[in-house]
Structures are given as C-alpha cells and as structure tokens.
Amino acid sequence: MSLNTESKLEKILKAGHLAVTSECGPPRGTSLDKIEEKANLIKDCVDAINVTDNQTSVTRMCSLAACIKIKLMGLEPVLQMVTRDRNRIAMQSDILGAAGFGVNNMLCLSGDHQSFGDCATGQNVHDLDSMQLVQTVRHMRDEGKFLGGGDIAGPPKIFVGAAANPFADPFEVRVPRLAKKIAAGAEFIQTQCIYNVEKFEKWLGIARDRGLTEKVFILAGVTPMKSAGMARYMKNRVPGMDVPDEIVKRLSDTPKEKQADEGIKICIETMQRLKEVKGVAGFHVMAIEWEEKVPELVEGAGLYPRPEVD
Amino acid sequence: MIVASPKPMEEIIDTVKDCKKLLILGCNECVTVCEAGGKKEVGVLASALRMYFAKQGQQIQIDERTLERQCDHEYLEEIRDIADTYDAILSLACGVGVQFTAEKYLSTVVLPGVNTCFLGATEERGMWTERCQACGACVLARTGGICPVSRCAKRVLNGPCGGSTKGKCEISKEVDCAWQLIVDRLTALGKMDEYEQIAPLKDWSTDRAGGPRKVVKEDVQS
Ligand code: SF4
Ligand code: SF4
C-alpha cells in the first residue's frame, strides 16, 4: 500500500475498508464550542470530518480555522474549499496553512452561487474552477511548486478529493466529468446526497465500466430526511437534487411524529444497499445540523466500530 | 454590441436638478440599437424632464443632440463650439462615450444617463442577452462557440457544476446553463471527446484583472 500523505482517510481507503466521513458546518460567530460539540457527537463513528466552507454562500467562520480546531482535538478534518471566494493566491496560501497544521485532506468545490446566501450582492471570484483547484493541490504536493513556478519549502501533503453529482444535468456528461476530475488528480470523491439509488447505480455502473472506480475512491453521499416537508423542499428547491416521488410519499404517508425515524430508516436502507455495490468505497453522511443522529446511521448500516489504522 | 439600459428617472433628476442649461447627448450606435440612448430616447427623456421641471416651477433649458458616435474624436468634435455653454451634458452613450466626452470637455460636467450593462446580442425586439465579457483571450474554440466566461454564473471552464438542472442554471429557472448548451453543441458537432480535455488555468491578465487594456495596431497607426 503506497501512501501519498499522512491522511487517515487515505489509509483507511487504501487498506480496503469502507470509509465513513461526515461533516460539520462552522458557526456564524466566533465561538469554537459549537464545532467542538458537533465533532464530539460524531467522532467515534467517522474516520474524518468535512468542514464546510461558507455553505450555501452564507457567511460563517472560515473552514480552515474550524479544521484546525478539529485537528487539535486529535480528530481528522477534511478542509472543504470553494473557488467562489478566493483567487489562486489565497487558495494556495490557505492550502499551505492547512498542511502546516496537519490538515491532511481537502475537498475541492466550486461552491454554491452567492445569490443563495447572505451576500447576494457580492462579487464572486472563480479564478479557478473546482477541477483546476484539484490540479493545483496535486501540483503543489507532487511537484513541490507553486502555480507561479516557485519552489515550495515543504510541499503540502494533502489527500485530494472532489465532489460529484450524478443527478445534475446533463446526465450523459456526469461520468465524463468524473473522469476529468480523476485526470485532474482527484483521489477520492464525495457525492451529492443519494435518494434516487437506481440513478446513482446507473452512474456508478458506467463509471465502473470505464475503469474509473479503480482509480478513485467514491464515497456515496447520504442525508437523512427529517420530515416530508424537507423532502419536498429538497425535491423542488435545491438545484441538482433528485428526490424520487416514492421517498416523498413514504414520508408523507408516515404520521408527523414518526417522519424523522422514517427518514433515518430510509437513509440506513440506502447505505445497506449501496454497501454491496462494487465501486462504493464508503459513505459521506451529511446530517445537516442533525449530527446527533450520525452514530445511529453508521451503526444501523453496520459500519461501526470504525477500523483502526496507524 | 454594448448593451445599456436607461437609468431610473429619479436618479437622473437628482443628478441634473441643479443645472440651468442641460444638453442631452445621444449616440447613434449600440445604445440606439438597444433603445437606450439614441435620438428617440434623447427626445423622450428631454420631454419628460421638461415636464417634470415645469411642474416643479423650475427653469431649466434642455437641448437635444445625437452624435454618430461618442467614442470617436471626430464626431465628438461636432459639439466643440457649444459644449462649454452648458452646465452639464447628460450623455446617453455607453460608459465609453460618457468618459470620452468628459475627457474632451473639461469645463463641463458630463453625467451618465444610462447604465452600461454588457456585450450582448438582440434576442428579439426589446430583449438583449449577454454573450461576452471581453476577457481578452477567447476560449470559444474549445467550448463549441458558447462562452462559459460570460454565460456561466460561476464562469467554470470545466463545467457543468453540480447545480445544473433541466438545462437551467442553479441561479434561476430563467437562465440557461451555459454548460448544458456547450455539451449539447459539442455533442451535435461530434466533439464530446474534446470535452474531456481539462481546460488550463485561465490567464486572467488579459481580463480586467490585468488593469486597463490597450489594443495597438501599428500597421494602421500613422
Ligand atoms: S471567452 Fe472571453 S472573449 Fe471569448 S466570448 Fe467569452 S468573454 Fe468574450
Ligand atoms: S448551472 Fe451551469 S451555468 Fe449555472 S453555474 Fe453551474 S455550470 Fe454554470
């Protein structure tokens, strides 16, 4: 097993275990207590914790600071970085800062458009796109060089990931786009939340036929629904989200006070089914402000306890 | 062409309200085509302002003039004799025309009467859409002739992003996803294999990032 970094996530995946990651959103304020609290809720049942970067374009504490906090707790953070808010100087600089504090994983994203957030009238940057950010991290790590050509004193040893959304349009481009992200240097992929399992399996099947699942670790994204209302909202309002009618119906046919439990059940069923699918290397459990449910989901899917790697 | 839209009436009134003598200066080119600052719009705006100030009991002389272009020395010279007889010139040209007029007539206040928006095309009468941001290093050869810099809300060069839904951009159901258009066009051209080549990091120094730009054509300079 040849490792490129010190990343625990890389070790787990390369050892052939199904990895489990989850995420924490940083606070809209200065207190690190909330991050600590959230991380403590999930720490025993995940291998690494993604820290979102001003998700949905709402201003929050920077992902890097929150990652450092998690690192200082002795846990494994995944720094999410969007290209929306920073140019290539700022991104390279943050990558160095992250690596300096032993943040060994990164997820490269373009980010939601700022019109969704609290600074809709702001400028967006998009100097690079997500794929080019992947290339940038790999270039810095593997060549030990800045984009400008200069040498990096102590290149950042970072395990690099990217996102994939099998449900966005056009569908035909979703596997070629994955291939492109792998060619850019992505080593792991975390997907958009999966509700349409068949469509996901179809996407993964095409990727497998192209040999892509041999080249990258794909973590299937899941998010438990809290209610039928949430399912309807995700279906109708969240761009690039595919929630089949059966899911909405199953939740709305459940009495209100039982809907959350049903959402958890659906999520566990999805994980159990996908565990058996060739090419799924693990799960990314996004429990959006419902961190206390992550242990139940991970246990329910038979992914607990987490393997030890050194 | 350069597409502009009229500034709100209240904003115009606020900028010209202290004048005694005002020239509204139109332009016969782009702003005429997009119906924001041609002869017709100069006339309409002049009447509206005259009416407004008459109602206020305020004396303002408002004259009208439309030049062939405001972005050329030659045509701007046509108002040389009269320019400094006005307290202000309200230019309905694009930002280039406003600035060029101001540069030439230093003692007269020159004000913008339109908001200059983008480089676009006439989709249909009364509707213009953005096509180019003049980035100075055109990538259309790689993107099936559809510009991701100006038409993708995140200007991703390797799209589409994860927000593309039913051919529309994540920002609005009204906006086409540029990358859906690109993929459709590359498919039609049988060029989807080219899609998988990763677009290199863009050199933005030819864009506004590099500071004010200049094109020099030495062979035609005298
Ligand atoms: S790539 Fe640049 S020059 Fe070409 S159409 Fe787009 S913005 Fe204009
Ligand atoms: S949905 Fe399409 S046009 Fe909109 S930001 Fe994403 S790739 Fe660009």
Side-chain angles (χ1 to χ4, degrees), chain B residues 131-140 147-150 202:
Chain B
R131 286 291 186 274
C132 174
Q133 281 179 2
C135 76
C138 194
V139 303
L140 288 176
C147 172
V149 177
S150 57
K202 192 158 165 60

Side-chain angles (χ1 to χ4, degrees), chain B residues 152-154 156 160-161 163-164 169-170 177-179:
Chain B
C152 163
K154 302 181 198 165
V156 291
C161 77
S164 178
C169 174
E170 69 175 36
C177 167
W179 274 96

Side-chain angles (χ1 to χ4, degrees), chain A residues 88 113 169 177 180 210, chain B residues 158 160 166 170 195 202:
Chain A
R88 60 189 83 176
H113 192 264
D169 290 320
R177 189 160 156 78
K180 235 174 143 170
R210 278 192 61 166
Chain B
N158 293 284
K166 298 196 177 87
E170 69 175 36
Y195 168 82
K202 192 158 165 60

